[in-house]
Amino acid sequence: MTAAAFAFACIAGCSDDRPIAPSITNAAAPTPNPATPAATPAAFSPTPADNPNAPLVVTGPIIVEHQLDLTAQRDGIITKLLADVSSRVKAGALMAQLDDRQIVANLEAARAKTRGIDAEIRDLKAESEVIQADYDRAKRRWDLGLIAEEELQHAKYKTESEQWNIKQVVEQHTTALQDERSLEIELEKTRVTAPFSGLVARRYVREGQNVAKGDRLFWITAESPLLMRFTLPEKYFGRLHHGQKFEVTSADLPGEKHTASVREISPVIDPASGTFEVLVELAPDHGADHSKFRPGMNATLHIGTNSGTSLGATP
């Protein structure tokens, strides 16, 4: 090929009208999905987009409303334990006792001080009556012109001074009462009592142990009512209502079926996750079957199954 022919071929190739695909050398990464919320107590199995009324399956732990670590409210040595693991306690029952000897001694001293101030107030009031009588007599003598004005003013000021003395001692009496009350509260803190009726699941301490304020003493949990808490996408908002019943099962208890009803529905949608929260309560059943369901056990909630309910149900 001659040089002229080669140049003509290059010109022809450069004049090609076909579009050239753009070359992407630094494509942006796909936009990630919105951040998912923190792990919730229960998870749901989504339904197909073309069938929003299809059954849902929610799995998660069974919970109770009252469950906490009971902690020491003050420093001290445990002198007595009255509850142990598996013990059932009633609200207000004494579970442990801390050494209270120093507080009891301080409280008795504070009560004695209060009684002393109270006696002083009575004495001042009696003396005030005498001073008031002297002032009344001075006024009568002034009216008769038997004493000088300075003597009358002296009796008057003495009466007023005595009233201020009484008020000062009354305030001291109030302070003493508050100090006494403060020690009574500290004494109450040496008595570890159950905040609610429940079951002692763990014991963290032993008799004779020195504990500090905030140390864990017991883990106490209620046994009822049994609950499940879970979240649903916002497209299901308005399809559930209070009192709506669903079926609950557990893989650990094959063949067992129980009923749960909706107890609470969040009135708002969480904008971060696009979900709303639902709380259901297992129906109370005093039979032997119900006793097998325990707080912390994993269970499955069936929504929109043949239990007679559906997501489209209305109140």
Side-chain angles (χ1 to χ4, degrees), residues 66-236:
H66 298 299
Q67 188 177 79
L68 54 80
D69 279 330
L70 197 57
T71 60
Q73 297 186 49
R74 71 184 319 276
D75 301 347
I77 297 175
I78 296 178
T79 58
K80 188 182 297 184
L81 286 173
L82 296 96
D84 208 338
V85 177
S86 299
S87 299
R88 284 183 169 83
V89 294
K90 293 187 178 297
L94 183 64
M95 300 178 64
Q97 176 68 54
L98 274 65
D99 185 8
D100 61 358
R101 293 173 296 174
Q102 186 64 55
I103 297 178
V104 170
N106 293 341
L107 179 58
E108 289 302 321
R111 288 172 175 170
K113 181 179 179 180
T114 303
R115 291 192 297 268
I117 296 176
D118 186 61
E120 185 178 357
I121 291 174
R122 290 193 180 96
D123 181 65
L124 287 174
K125 286 184 177 180
E127 186 177 351
S128 175
E129 293 295 332
V130 175
I131 295 175
Q132 183 65 43
D134 291 342
Y135 176 58
D136 293 340
R137 184 170 60 253
K139 285 196 297 183
R140 290 194 299 269
R141 296 179 67 187
W142 161 258
D143 292 338
L144 295 174
L146 300 176
I147 60 174
E149 183 178 359
E150 290 80 2
E151 188 174 346
L152 175 64
Q153 293 297 326
H154 177 77
K156 176 183 177 182
Y157 294 147
K158 187 174 182 180
T159 302
E160 294 178 354
S161 175
E162 191 65 19
Q163 294 300 318
W164 285 113
N165 288 337
I166 292 175
K167 290 182 179 181
Q168 181 181 6
V169 178
V170 167
E171 291 299 324
Q172 293 176 2
H173 184 265
T174 302
T175 302
L177 286 175
Q178 294 303 318
D179 291 340
E180 188 177 324
R181 176 56 182 158
S182 176
L183 288 170
E184 288 174 349
I185 294 174
E186 289 301 316
L187 183 61
E188 291 176 4
K189 292 178 182 179
T190 65
R191 298 170 52 85
V192 181
T193 57
F196 51 83
S197 298
L199 179 71
V200 179
R202 292 177 188 170
R203 173 172 62 87
Y204 300 104
V205 292
R206 60 188 182 277
E207 286 188 2
Q209 182 174 341
N210 189 9
V211 297
K213 181 180 179 181
D215 285 354
R216 296 186 300 176
L217 306 178
F218 300 95
W219 180 27
I220 181 172
T221 176
E223 297 182 272
S224 63
L226 300 178
L227 311 168
M228 284 186 69
R229 188 185 302 274
F230 55 92
T231 58
L232 292 177
E234 60 180 300
K235 64 180 179 180
Y236 299 110

Side-chain angles (χ1 to χ4, degrees), residues 1-13:
M1 179 183 295
T2 64
F6 177 78
F8 178 82
C10 289
I11 295 173

